[in-house]
Amino acid sequence: MYSEKVMDHFANPRNVGEIEDASGVGTEGNPVCGDLMTIYITVEDNVITDVKFKTFGCGAAIATSSMITEMALGKTIEEALKITRDDVADELEGLPPVKMHCSNLAADALRKAIEDYQEKQAGESSEEKSE
């Protein structure tokens, strides 16, 4: 049912945890299935230099969270924004159709973390201009 890669990322998730002073934080959840994930990113010179996640949910949700952190690490903001839901599932060598929503959550949580970072950057830019 699950690929070896899904099982590996579930049993040995990468980048678990929180980043205290994260550049951006994104949370996404699905109340129907109960999955909830938060992605934390650190950005330096437009590159994601650290990324962590906390996920409450099924094995597929944990695996997709782990995979998206690996996919985003070292990418520019623009490159990370191009990571799609299908990319996450493809990297995991597929997910059962009933679990595809998990890859949606992971990609959406990353996108929200990037949007949070961009909003903070825009806020800092306008503060600098007003000084």
Side-chain angles (χ1 to χ4, degrees):
M1 181 167 172
Y2 289 112
S3 71
E4 275 186 41
K5 227 172 187 181
V6 170
M7 294 305 294
D8 181 42
H9 276 269
F10 167 65
N12 307 294
R14 283 67 151 178
N15 307 306
V16 176
E18 257 179 80
I19 299 173
E20 282 299 319
D21 294 319
S23 304
V25 179
T27 300
E28 190 64 40
N30 183 332
V32 174
C33 66
D35 294 337
L36 181 68
M37 56 186 68
T38 301
I39 305 271
Y40 304 83
I41 59 172
T42 299
V43 180
E44 295 173 17
D45 298 324
N46 201 47
V47 174
I48 297 175
T49 57
D50 195 10
V51 57
K52 302 254 187 267
F53 79 91
K54 289 179 100 175
T55 294
F56 175 82
C58 67
I62 292 166
T64 58
S65 298
S66 174
M67 178 53 77
I68 198 128
T69 63
E70 288 212 318
M71 293 173 73
L73 192 58
K75 297 240 184 328
T76 65
I77 291 299
E78 294 75 23
E79 290 169 335
L81 280 170
K82 291 179 183 170
I83 299 171
T84 67
R85 301 162 170 182
D86 288 339
D87 293 337
V88 178
D90 290 346
E91 281 295 316
L92 287 168
E93 298 170 356
L95 286 169
V98 70
K99 293 296 181 180
M100 279 303 290
H101 69 274
C102 296
S103 66
N104 296 354
L105 291 178
D108 293 348
L110 174 63
R111 186 161 278 106
K112 281 188 174 181
I114 292 169
E115 288 169 0
D116 181 49
Y117 162 72
Q118 290 172 326
E119 287 170 12
K120 288 176 181 174
Q121 291 301 108
E124 286 177 18
S125 296
S126 60
E127 285 174 22
E128 289 170 8
K129 289 177 186 172
S130 65
E131 288 178 1

